[in-house]
Every structure is written in structure tokens, then in C-alpha cells.
Amino acid sequence: MSDEKLMSKKKPAYPVSSNLDAYLEHYNRKMKIPIFYEDLLRFAGSVVVYDSDDNDTLWVRVYYSEFDRAEIDLSLKKVYSILLSDGGDNIIQYLNIDAVDFCTFGNSKPFRIKVRNILNDNFTYFYIKKTDASRIYGLELEHMLSPYNLNFLVYKDTLIEEHISGIPGDVFIKDMLPKCTESEKAQLAKEFVKFNERCMIRLLGDMRSYNYVIVPVHDFDHVVYRIRAIDFDQQCFEGKLKVYRPQFFKENFQMVELVRKKLLVSSVDQYKLEERSIVAKRIKSSGNRIKKLRSICKKDTISTPENIKLLRKEIYELTLDMQFKKCRKMGRVLDLALDFVKRNYEDVSMKQIMENRIKID
């Protein structure tokens, strides 16, 4: 199936409800910032950004009039301090805004800000995007249900995201995967199975290879690879269940082939079970925070009636849980999906406890 048929043509941005806004403030995600997304659109011109092989990256480097530049640079330094430091002005004198890039591809059309410390030439990035409720749910769920913490801020119609480091999936598959050892390929296959399962469980869609990164971690005498999502635009929106399973995108074909060649069916089932169990444990350990988020999401509008109707039907066919048929909101579908995973984990755990008791007796 082609991506064009798999995905909707255009996903709208959904406003932040008063309940979600209060949640963000309670958990220190909402903070006043000195610049908005719309301010960065005032650029006077741009030039195309090419990669090291002279390929168009689909980013353009924007520049501003002399009058606007000083004000924008200072505001971006302050945003950096708020996002990554204590919010004070002391570090501003040591920062330089090396580049402001604008992405012309995709729904979110983000700005990428490159900030350099002039004392040691270390640099980092952060992103400025338009606020979208479904993207915020995606970021919060990633923070609570994945192995990784995320740092982001929301203020009115502007979303600030910390950069997620790693090798873009499409670049890794093209340039680095062929050079991996056989054991590294087997480990990557395992990670892709777990990543695939995690995305489906929490309904994170559109994980094509350029929407996640591969993170190499050196562990004693070998390298372990991790896979991290970097784009949360398609959280709980699409109606087709396949959209939430990275294995069905043609860009991930080589990763799917790795799984087929390197893993037995029993191993794939084992890794899926492991990931479901880990996510269930994270749901339980997240306590009131995830309960509040799920409660807010259940009442929110983050998809279309057509998509909700289709997804609830496809998930019912997978789980045979009649409650999915009654869903009227996409957040309710998500809530039931998380509850289904948690409930099954608890049922299996209780069964094992009873079996162990019988053996002891």
C-alpha cells in the first residue's frame, strides 16, 4: 500500500483546550516566552540548505532585516535559557544564534534554531512550531511511555521543543546499515520490533524513516542501537491502524527485512510481549499524571468522525473488545487501548502469581 493511500492528505492543527492548558501549567510545560512562531515568519529572504552530498534537505536558512535581527536573536537566546537553563539572563552573553532554518516540508513547518556557546563552540538546536493539541498529547505520551524524557514548552500558539539527537533513520538505513555487523543487524531488528509495538500501543502514526532517529550507544565492547521518534504530529489522528505500525511504510522496508532475516517468529512474539509489559509498567508508574492526561484527551477533539469510526472498527477486530465500538472521541480510543495493554499485563501477572503459589503449596 502506498503512503498516499495510507495517510490523509492534510492533518489540521487542533487548538489547546482549557483543560489541557491547565494540565500544561500544572506540570510546568506552560511558560511565558518572548517570541512567537508568527514573529519568525517575518524573514526577509532565504537560501536552500544542502547536505554534505549537495542534496536539498528541504530546509531553507532564513535571514531577517537588520532592524528585526537584533530583537529576534535576543529573544531566541532567552528562549534557550528558559528551555535549557534557569531562565536567567546571565548566560545570554555567551550565546550566539548561528542559524534559523525553516522547513518547507510536512504539516508542522518548524523553525530550527542553532545556538552556539561562544566560549567553547559547543552548539545545540531547538525547534519552534505552531501549537497543536494532538502533537502535545504525542509529546507527553512519549515522555511517560517511552524510555526517554522530553523537554518542551507551550505558550499560546507557540510550541518550543528540545532537539532529539540521533542519526535520521533514512540516513542510517542508506549509509550505515550496510556497514553494520550481523550481530548489530540482529539487535537493530529487535529494536525495530519494539519500536513498532510501542507506536501501535500509544497510537503514534507516520513513523516513516525520516520521522525517527537511530541512537548508537556504546556499551562495553559493542554498540547498542536505540530507535527514537522525533515527530509527534500524527498522534491519534488517522483512522487506519496500519498508520500506527511503522512496518507498513515503504521507507522502512529494509528494517522489516532485517526482522524477517534475523529473528525467529517466536523471538518477535517475545519482544512484542516485552514491550507491552514495559509500557504497562510505565502506565502504572506514571500515576495521576497519565490519568489526568487520558481524562482530558477523552473529551478533546483531535481527529475527524470518519477516522474515529474507522479506527475503532479496526482495533475492535484486533482485540474483540466491545468497548471500542462505543467510542465517540479519538482520545477514548487511545484510553481504551492503553487500558487494554495494562489490563492484559495485570491478568498475566496475576496468573503467574497464582501458578507460583500452587507450586509452592
Side-chain angles (χ1 to χ4, degrees):
M1 182 178 291
S2 70
D3 294 348
E4 288 74 17
K5 292 181 180 178
L6 200 58
M7 300 283 295
S8 299
K9 290 288 185 183
K10 177 76 173 175
K11 173 190 168 293
Y14 290 96
V16 174
S17 67
S18 58
N19 287 333
L20 180 56
D21 186 67
Y23 168 94
L24 293 169
E25 186 163 17
H26 180 78
Y27 288 103
N28 297 316
R29 297 296 201 190
K30 180 183 176 183
M31 200 167 295
K32 189 174 181 179
I33 54 175
I35 193 169
F36 296 99
Y37 178 90
E38 297 294 335
D39 296 326
L40 293 176
L41 291 174
R42 303 199 312 254
F43 53 85
S46 64
V47 293
V48 176
V49 177
Y50 296 96
D51 64 17
S52 56
D53 297 321
D54 289 330
N55 296 315
D56 188 346
T57 62
L58 302 178
W59 289 85
V60 295
R61 185 147 299 165
V62 302
Y63 54 89
Y64 298 87
S65 68
E66 186 175 346
F67 175 79
D68 284 335
R69 182 74 203 201
E71 180 186 355
I72 287 173
D73 274 16
L74 178 60
S75 295
L76 292 175
K77 291 173 186 178
K78 288 181 178 179
V79 169
Y80 173 92
S81 178
I82 294 168
L83 181 69
L84 298 168
S85 187
D86 63 354
D89 293 340
N90 292 338
I91 66 169
I92 288 177
Q93 60 184 315
Y94 306 119
L95 302 177
N96 189 71
I97 305 300
D98 277 8
V100 178
D101 297 335
F102 179 61
C103 184
T104 57
F105 177 72
N107 280 333
S108 60
K109 291 186 169 51
F111 285 93
R112 180 178 63 194
I113 316 301
K114 182 180 180 181
V115 185
R116 178 171 54 89
N117 185 310
I118 61 177
L119 296 178
N120 53 35
D121 273 346
N122 285 334
F123 64 87
T124 190
Y125 299 95
F126 65 87
Y127 297 85
I128 298 181
K129 304 177 180 180
K130 290 281 287 184
T131 301
D132 175 21
S134 58
R135 188 178 298 120
I136 291 170
Y137 286 119
L139 288 163
E140 273 292 291
L141 288 169
E142 180 75 2
H143 179 76
M144 287 185 272
L145 300 184
S146 82
Y148 316 105
N149 292 331
L150 288 183
N151 189 13
F152 70 92
L153 296 172
V154 180
Y155 187 63
K156 295 186 178 179
D157 65 347
T158 298
L159 172 65
I160 312 289
E161 290 182 30
E162 186 179 25
H163 175 65
I164 298 174
S165 299
I167 304 164
D170 53 341
V171 175
F172 184 92
I173 291 170
K174 177 177 176 287
D175 298 335
M176 303 183 72
L177 182 58
K179 301 173 186 176
C180 289
T181 65
E182 294 307 306
S183 62
E184 287 173 343
K185 289 178 180 178
Q187 196 267 328
L188 274 163
K190 169 187 172 181
E191 282 301 308
F192 187 76
V193 169
K194 292 194 163 199
F195 179 67
N196 190 76
E197 192 71 9
R198 188 161 67 244
C199 291
M200 183 183 70
I201 289 170
R202 42 77 57 96
L203 299 183
L204 177 61
D206 193 19
M207 282 299 108
R208 284 174 277 192
S209 56
Y210 47 78
N211 285 332
Y212 60 80
V213 292
I214 310 289
V215 184
V217 180
H218 292 269
D219 184 22
F220 292 105
D221 59 347
H222 67 291
V223 177
V224 176
Y225 294 98
R226 299 284 184 254
I227 302 178
R228 291 193 64 176
I230 60 171
D231 191 328
F232 304 95
D233 185 58
Q234 291 288 343
Q235 175 67 50
C236 298
F237 174 73
E238 293 287 349
K240 298 184 181 72
L241 185 58
K242 285 184 176 180
V243 173
Y244 304 106
R245 304 176 74 179
Q247 70 187 77
F248 288 106
F249 288 101
K250 66 179 187 293
E251 290 88 350
N252 295 326
F253 174 76
Q254 287 176 268
M255 299 297 285
V256 175
E257 281 294 287
L258 272 190
V259 174
R260 186 180 65 81
K261 292 176 181 177
K262 294 295 180 182
L263 302 180
L264 298 172
V265 173
S266 57
S267 294
V268 171
D269 292 339
Q270 175 197 335
Y271 296 141
K272 286 181 177 180
L273 178 60
E274 287 179 8
E275 193 60 30
R276 286 195 293 269
S277 299
I278 290 171
V279 170
K281 289 175 184 177
R282 291 191 184 116
I283 293 171
K284 290 169 70 71
S285 65
S286 295
N288 286 333
R289 182 166 183 163
I290 197 165
K291 287 178 183 176
K292 287 180 182 178
L293 188 73
R294 289 165 63 178
S295 177
I296 294 166
C297 191
K298 282 191 293 186
K299 302 169 186 174
D300 213 343
T301 298
I302 51 174
S303 188
T304 65
E306 296 78 16
N307 285 350
I308 296 166
K309 185 176 180 181
L310 178 58
L311 187 62
R312 74 188 185 194
K313 174 178 176 292
E314 293 197 5
I315 295 184
Y316 165 74
E317 291 171 353
L318 179 68
T319 64
L320 300 180
D321 187 333
M322 286 295 294
Q323 291 189 77
F324 283 104
K325 285 194 168 186
K326 305 173 185 176
C327 293
R328 295 292 180 268
K329 294 281 189 179
M330 191 61 91
R332 180 58 176 158
V333 178
L334 170 68
D335 182 62
L336 285 175
L338 295 179
D339 194 54
F340 183 85
V341 171
K342 179 173 171 282
R343 191 168 66 246
N344 276 271
Y345 167 75
E346 291 172 339
D347 290 346
V348 170
S349 298
M350 184 57 67
K351 181 180 177 182
Q352 290 173 341
I353 290 171
M354 296 305 296
E355 287 175 351
N356 288 336
R357 283 180 179 173
I358 291 170
K359 288 177 184 178
I360 293 171
D361 294 341

